[in-house]
């Protein structure tokens, strides 16, 4: 059973870079047909898609965050990562990693991590 | 890209049906078949309930159904149960490899 787990600092200072990692267990990240994404949720607010990456490294980013976001994949560690630069208080949120089945459930996230709280 | 528009709240009694709307534009909801719905209980990660407008992932009860007309998608929950009380979010493909979510609807089972 595939599981995703977010990890990283829970507190980041303004203007610094937020860095999170999502570790995939119970299956390989190095498989065609799956996108691996990051979604966040500010306190008491709705969900916001940050971006997604294919196992090959191909990335798609939310245009509103694109200038500050980098998503990368490390297939040797079965992990993918998020970097968000120049953070402000508005970036305080629960950050989720999730998987999209690009063949069968396109543009929908079927498996989610439990989420990690990041406070700026 | 702007967030999709959902009503802040919806409610119904056990056994009844309730429908939640999700309004976008021709550039997202109206332009593609890739509308999804997620259920989120407090303190939990979202759970995919509907994808591609009206398809249910394995394990999701058929009490949950989705539809779309023009720029508005809808989620209907039939035979309401206490466990259906949660926040519901829609999402849509918005072209150019972008995804957009709705603001969320809090469903209360009276």
């Amino acid at each position: 059973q595939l599981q995703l787990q977010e990890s990283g600092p829970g507190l980041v200072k303004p203007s610094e870079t937020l860095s999170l990692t999502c570790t995939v267990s119970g299956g390989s990240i190095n498989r065609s047909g799956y996108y691996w994404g990051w979604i966040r949720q500010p306190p008491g607010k709705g969900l916001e898609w940050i971006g997604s990456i294919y196992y090959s490294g191909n990335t798609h980013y939310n245009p509103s965050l694109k200038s500050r976001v980098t998503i990368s994949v490390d297939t040797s560690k079965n992990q993918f990562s998020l970097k968000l630069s120049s953070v402000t208080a508005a970036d305080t949120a629960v950050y989720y990693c999730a998987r999209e089945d690009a063949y069968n459930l396109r543009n929908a996230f079927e498996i989610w991590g439990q989420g990690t709280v990041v406070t700026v | 890209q702007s967030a999709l528009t959902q009503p802040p709240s919806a409610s119904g009694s056990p056994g009844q049906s309730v429908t939640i709307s999700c309004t976008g534009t021709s550039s997202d909801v109206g332009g593609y078949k890739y509308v999804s719905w997620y259920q989120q209980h407090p303190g939990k990660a979202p759970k995919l309930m509907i994808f591609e407008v009206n398809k249910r992932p394995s394990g999701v009860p058929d009490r949950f159904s989705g539809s779309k007309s023009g720029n508005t998608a809808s989620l209907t929950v039939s035979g309401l149960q206490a466990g259906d009380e949660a926040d519901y979010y829609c999402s849509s493909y918005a072209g150019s490899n972008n995804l957009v979510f709705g603001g969320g609807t809090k469903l209360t089972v009276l």
Side-chain angles (χ1 to χ4, degrees):
Chain A
Q1 180 180 352
L2 194 81
Q3 292 185 322
L4 284 68
Q5 178 68 59
E6 305 88 351
S7 61
L11 185 62
V12 182
K13 295 180 179 180
S15 80
E16 294 189 344
T17 296
L18 177 160
S19 296
L20 296 175
T21 296
C22 182
T23 300
V24 179
S25 59
S28 175
I29 200 172
N30 196 20
R31 288 181 60 187
S32 64
Y34 297 101
Y35 274 91
W36 305 90
W38 288 97
I39 302 99
R40 70 180 183 179
Q41 184 172 33
K45 296 186 178 181
L47 301 167
E48 180 180 33
W49 173 71
I50 299 171
S52 299
I53 188 166
Y54 201 54
Y55 80 102
S56 61
N58 186 31
T59 54
H60 303 306
Y61 297 137
N62 184 324
S64 66
L65 296 170
K66 186 175 183 178
S67 64
R68 298 194 293 131
V69 172
T70 302
I71 297 176
S72 59
V73 63
D74 187 336
T75 55
S76 67
K77 295 182 178 179
N78 227 31
Q79 296 175 335
F80 63 104
S81 299
L82 168 70
K83 291 188 184 300
L84 181 66
S85 64
S86 304
V87 298
T88 69
D91 296 309
T92 294
V94 176
Y95 285 76
Y96 295 99
C97 58
R99 188 186 83 167
E100 171 197 344
D101 181 343
Y103 290 159
N104 300 304
L105 289 86
R106 287 189 64 185
N107 298 302
F109 293 102
E110 44 156 350
I111 301 175
W112 294 65
Q114 65 184 29
T116 188
V117 176
V118 178
T119 301
V120 179
Chain B
Q1 59 190 37
S2 300
L4 306 176
T5 300
Q6 297 182 236
S9 63
S11 63
S13 300
Q16 289 186 334
S17 294
V18 64
T19 297
I20 299 170
S21 63
C22 170
T23 301
T25 69
S26 58
S27 296
D28 38 63
V29 174
Y32 305 96
K33 68 175 182 177
Y34 299 112
V35 176
S36 303
W37 289 91
Y38 298 86
Q39 176 191 66
Q40 186 180 36
H41 288 109
K44 300 295 186 181
K47 175 186 176 182
L48 180 65
M49 305 301 284
I50 296 288
F51 67 99
E52 290 184 13
V53 176
N54 57 13
K55 298 179 181 179
R56 284 184 305 275
S58 175
V60 173
D62 60 6
R63 301 187 296 105
F64 292 84
S65 61
S67 62
K68 189 183 82 165
S69 178
N71 296 337
T72 298
S74 299
L75 171 72
T76 297
V77 185
S78 305
L80 271 175
Q81 300 178 0
D84 299 332
E85 185 162 296
D87 293 328
Y88 290 84
Y89 294 91
C90 62
S91 75
S92 175
Y93 181 67
S96 301
N97 296 307
N98 294 330
L99 286 174
V100 62
F101 281 93
T105 298
K106 181 178 180 59
L107 175 61
T108 300
V109 180
L110 302 171

